[in-house]
Structure formats: structure tokens, C-alpha cells
Amino acid sequence: MNNVQWNAFCEYRDRLKDLCGKWMNYSPALKELQKAAGAKDTPDYPLETAVVYNTAYDEINREDEIKLIVIGDNPGKEEQLSANRRYLVGQSGRIAEGFFRRNPSLKIDFRKNVVIMNKTPVHTAKTSHLRYLIKNGGSEMEKLILESQIEMARMASKLHRKLVEGSSGDYEPELWLVGYSELKGKGLFLPYRDELKKSYGTSETWNKVFVYQHFSMNRFLIDLRNCMKENGNLSMKEALEKLGRQHRDEIFCSGSI
């Protein structure tokens, strides 16, 4: 990374670390709600981190080349373990890692060239459990989940724009929003969606934002495979761009932004 990119990444990392530290003050109440949310449909598991800062950021250095930002939903069971405290290290992360490994033409190492984010750092065993936290946690939990989405969207947009601004022109980093269903209708992440679009304003970097199905349960791969079947002459890169633009237009043009 050059000076512009490195400084922008450090600002993002430090800001998120500070915010997660602040939001960890909710941990006692959060953990009770997180346990209750998972009790009906999730096997018991060690709940260790209520709000998860991605410690993988602390291993990124100036010599690394960031080619992509990938934004998942929120930290799950494996992500919140004290031994991990990293985003997308569960099944979905392994699927993503395998996809890039099997497609060397994209020239992206998922663990070296990607900044992995979430739409909120608040842990739940399943993303849908966030609704339980909002419904049963009172105004404080509702505020926490809303505030975290707004802040995460603003920071993602700012970092992405700075990475592109500092690029040499040979390659402009993209931003992938993965997790399609909760960005539409009455989805959990409408505040994130709306704030993200607002944060880009009229920046041309918005053209480097793409939306995809989630990696979990192979939805991303199935969707991409269907796109390639319907458009047989497309390369992998072309198919990704076509599909990502299509979903971006569906999500952001249908919402009231």
C-alpha cells in the first residue's frame, strides 16, 4: 500500500478497534440475549466475545496489497471464539477462500489481499438472531445495532474510496457486499444499505461496489454458476461484474435511498 492507502487503512482499523471497545460495555446484557436467542434452534456453544473486533487487521502491514473489501453479515459462532476473533473463518469463510484459490485468474488471495468486514460486529449464532436482540433488548440494544451498522457503513465507504483514490490505476480495489436477503424488504441491514449508498454520494467509486448472495450454503457459487450458464461466453471476471451489478441495482434501486 502507498501512503494514502496505508493511512486510510490504519484510520479504519483504529476507529473500529475504539468502537468495539466502547460497544463491549454492553457485553453482560448482550451475552444473556445472545444465549437466549440461540437457545431454541442452536446447539450449545461457548459464547466468548459479544462484540468482535477483527484481529486479522493487526497482521496487515504496509507491504500488503489490498485488492478487495468483502463485507459479510455479522460474526458467528467461530468468529467470536477468543482463539479466533476474526471475520469469515467459519464455513462461509472456507468456501470464500476456496473460491479464490480455485480461480487464480482473479489474482486474489482471500487471506492476504482482502479486507474482511461485517455489517455489524455484534455476534449472534445466526444472523436472524439479531432480531431477537432488537426485540428483547430494549432501546439500548436497538440503538447499538443501529449505530454499529451506520458506523460500519461509513467506515467501509471511506476506506474503499481512499483505497481507490490511492491506486496506481492498474487495479482499483472493489467492494463486495455478500449477504443479499437482509438488504431488501424488511431486512435487518437496511440501515447499513442506506447509509452505505449515502456515504458514497456522487463518487465514481460506487461503480466498484458489487452485491452477491452469501457464501454460506454455496449460495454465492450457485448464483454465479447460473449466471455463467446463462451467459456462456463470459470470463469469470466478467460474470462476477455482471452478477454484482445486477444485484446492486436490484438492492439499491428498489430501496428508498
Side-chain angles (χ1 to χ4, degrees), residues 88-190:
L88 281 177
V89 294
Q91 182 185 32
S92 297
R94 290 188 285 272
I95 290 172
E97 191 172 352
F99 168 75
F100 286 104
R101 187 171 56 248
R102 290 190 302 274
N103 291 279
S105 63
L106 298 177
K107 298 179 180 179
I108 292 176
D109 184 319
F110 190 65
R111 298 301 175 189
K112 291 183 179 180
N113 305 126
V114 180
V115 172
I116 303 171
M117 301 182 181
N118 274 320
K119 300 178 184 81
T120 174
V122 176
H123 157 72
T124 50
K126 297 180 179 179
T127 296
S128 60
H129 292 171
L130 287 170
R131 288 191 173 88
Y132 182 93
L133 272 60
I134 294 169
K135 182 179 179 180
N136 296 280
S139 60
E140 279 199 339
M141 292 303 161
E142 185 176 3
K143 179 183 176 183
L144 166 63
I145 293 170
L146 174 61
E147 178 183 300
S148 64
Q149 289 189 53
I150 298 297
E151 291 286 353
M152 298 287 269
R154 289 173 179 169
M155 290 190 295
S157 167
K158 185 175 182 180
L159 177 59
H160 184 212
R161 285 179 283 122
K162 285 293 185 179
L163 289 176
V164 171
E165 177 188 319
S167 64
S168 64
D170 297 331
Y171 186 90
E172 294 185 340
E174 297 176 355
L175 183 147
W176 291 11
L177 273 176
V178 295
Y180 181 96
S181 61
E182 295 292 350
L183 291 169
K184 60 182 180 179
K186 296 182 179 181
L188 283 161
F189 298 126
L190 300 191

